[in-house]
Amino acid sequence: MKKMLLLAFALSSLIFAESQTQTCKKCHPAIVDEFENSMHRKSSIYDDAIHKAVWDMHPAKAKDDYACAECHTPNAKDEEDAKKGITCASCHTIKDVEEHASANRNVYSKDKKTFYSAEAGREGEKVVYKKESSWFGLNKSTVGSPYHDIDYTNEKYYSAQVCMGCHSHRQNSAEFMICETSKDGAKSKEENCITCHMPKVDGTATTLTETEKHSFHGFAGARKNPEMLSKYVGLDFKKSANGFDVTIENKAPHDLMLHPLRVVELRVNLVKDGKSAPLKMHTFAKVIGNENGASMPWLADRVVSDTMLKANEKKSVSYDDKVKAGDKIEVTLGYYIVNPKALKKLNLDADEDAKKFTVLKVQSFIAE
């Protein structure tokens, strides 16, 4: 009996060992490869230069009060743990999400050997690892994973409410809402945060049982794999008497960009008689601040201006450049992770990722 308890403890400890993801990789190689390059994995100040730049300016740094830890380095007990950012266990041991006005809070399971997961058709199952044999021990087989048990019964993993502990909303000390995601994205089992940001891709989820597809663990978003989200943006062109209109459609159930540092930019080139000419650029952003104008999030108490595309919104931009049949209109919609106006203040003016213009969607139209 004592040996069995020691074995169970050893298997459980493997999940929280120094090389946790390497343990996970033994059974989930494709998933771990995706995860290692994700912003979840790179969520700490040690891997995310932009997050570090904001933290370096935060007044709480002088007090060594890293309030961001709940989501950026959950469960970290020391600096070495913090360097791992978000781990596999960080998300797969969330038992519940408490709703609060300032920010929601994840409630973690005390059973460190059980991981929550979601799989269609297995909603009522709990899989406990065991070895089975028949024919006097001649035929041997195993059920489940030797490293952790699997609980498929948590409904929050099917509706994506599990994401709402960190991705719902955030108020500052002045009770001003810095950013907010619509709860509509975490209600349906058919379409939610997970189906958009963790779409099904080719490849087995585990080496223990072969599957054709698995949920993408690189987490498509503004920082990584944005091309996977391009289908949620629509572009259209319409000729008018005085020129033409370009319409942008945000098909997402939340603002096109949620972080107050983000800026969306519309670029249009008009190709006439073989010559290409860039037209006036248009930007869309939600700027927060105070009576002095735009400010860092912890100093904000109001929305200074808001032109960001809202959930399911269509927004048209008019151009007074007349077009004739055969003219080509090249439309590019993209964004900056950091508002170019904030780069210098954040000491990010030399950071290539912060300065980069990321293309979200490109489409060309021919005037008739």
Side-chain angles (χ1 to χ4, degrees):
M1 180 66 177
K2 186 176 180 181
K3 288 182 178 180
M4 290 179 67
L5 289 172
L6 287 171
L7 176 61
F9 177 77
L11 290 175
S12 177
S13 297
L14 279 171
I15 300 301
F16 295 92
E18 181 179 354
S19 184
Q20 179 193 120
T21 54
Q22 293 309 307
T23 300
C24 299
K25 193 169 184 175
K26 293 176 182 179
C27 300
H28 307 282
I31 284 176
V32 171
D33 284 346
E34 293 165 354
F35 176 76
E36 283 292 317
N37 194 42
S38 72
M39 286 311 301
H40 275 197
R41 169 61 185 84
K42 300 178 185 297
S43 61
S44 76
I45 57 174
Y46 303 98
D47 289 308
D48 184 356
I50 296 172
H51 178 47
K52 183 180 184 301
V54 174
W55 171 240
D56 284 345
M57 291 189 65
H58 201 291
K61 185 181 180 182
K63 304 175 185 177
D64 198 25
D65 180 19
Y66 185 56
C68 313
E70 284 191 10
C71 288
H72 284 263
T73 57
N75 310 124
K77 297 178 179 64
D78 51 39
E79 186 176 4
E80 286 305 308
D81 272 354
K83 289 178 180 179
K84 300 170 187 175
I86 298 168
T87 66
C88 304
S90 301
C91 292
H92 286 281
T93 57
I94 297 173
K95 183 179 181 179
D96 200 359
V97 174
E98 291 180 352
E99 294 188 358
H100 298 279
S102 59
N104 289 348
R105 178 177 171 269
N106 289 325
V107 178
Y108 291 93
S109 170
K110 294 181 180 179
D111 179 4
K112 301 301 182 183
K113 192 178 179 294
T114 299
F115 277 15
Y116 296 104
S117 189
E119 187 175 330
R122 306 188 71 174
E123 290 86 343
E125 292 185 32
K126 292 183 179 180
V127 181
V128 177
Y129 176 73
K130 61 182 177 179
K131 294 181 179 180
E132 297 178 336
S133 64
S134 59
W135 287 94
F136 306 101
L138 294 176
N139 294 332
K140 296 181 179 181
S141 62
T142 60
V143 175
S145 165
Y147 298 102
H148 60 84
D149 296 333
I150 310 169
D151 188 340
Y152 291 107
T153 66
N154 194 325
E155 292 185 359
K156 287 178 169 54
Y157 285 76
Y158 293 88
S159 64
Q161 288 180 28
V162 66
C163 306
M164 293 294 102
C166 288
H167 295 282
S168 173
H169 63 280
R170 175 71 60 175
Q171 288 183 351
N172 61 15
S173 59
E175 298 184 356
F176 173 74
M177 191 69 73
I178 297 169
C179 57
E180 185 175 18
T181 306
S182 171
K183 293 182 180 180
D184 290 342
K187 289 182 178 179
S188 167
K189 290 184 179 181
E190 286 71 37
E191 291 185 357
N192 54 52
C193 313
I194 294 172
T195 60
C196 290
H197 295 276
M198 298 179 67
K200 294 291 185 181
V201 294
D202 292 336
T204 186
T206 171
T207 56
L208 299 177
T209 305
E210 292 289 322
T211 59
E212 290 185 6
K213 293 182 179 295
H214 67 274
S215 294
F216 180 65
H217 279 64
F219 305 101
R223 302 290 299 275
K224 297 283 185 179
N225 309 288
E227 69 282 353
M228 299 178 80
L229 299 175
S230 63
K231 65 180 180 180
Y232 299 107
V233 174
L235 297 175
D236 202 2
F237 159 83
K238 185 177 181 181
K239 188 177 177 180
S240 65
N242 300 317
F244 63 91
D245 297 331
V246 171
T247 300
I248 310 166
E249 180 182 5
N250 175 23
K251 301 177 184 179
H254 54 70
D255 287 8
L256 186 59
M257 293 286 159
L258 295 164
H259 197 291
L261 280 177
R262 312 279 190 257
V263 175
V264 176
E265 190 169 89
L266 176 66
R267 300 178 177 183
V268 175
N269 284 340
L270 177 58
V271 183
K272 297 170 68 76
D273 303 319
K275 296 180 180 180
S276 179
L279 304 184
K280 181 182 178 181
M281 289 187 292
H282 291 266
T283 59
F284 309 92
K286 181 178 181 178
V287 180
I288 60 175
N290 49 43
E291 60 183 2
N292 298 316
S295 73
M296 289 293 107
W298 53 88
L299 296 173
D301 60 14
R302 69 194 66 184
V303 175
V304 175
S305 63
D306 189 0
T307 56
M308 183 58 69
L309 284 92
K310 303 304 176 187
N312 304 303
E313 181 186 14
K314 287 185 178 180
K315 186 170 287 192
S316 293
V317 178
S318 297
Y319 295 84
D320 57 8
D321 301 84
K322 291 190 176 182
V323 293
K324 64 180 187 299
D327 288 347
K328 186 179 182 181
I329 297 87
E330 300 171 335
V331 181
T332 300
L333 187 72
Y335 58 89
Y336 293 98
I337 291 294
V338 177
N339 189 324
K341 295 179 181 179
L343 287 170
K344 188 173 182 180
K345 188 170 186 177
L346 288 167
N347 296 313
L348 287 169
D349 36 353
D351 188 286
E352 294 303 319
D353 285 338
K355 295 191 298 181
K356 180 183 177 183
F357 175 75
T358 300
V359 174
L360 184 59
K361 190 149 192 172
V362 176
Q363 195 165 345
S364 295
F365 303 91
I366 304 296
E368 297 180 352

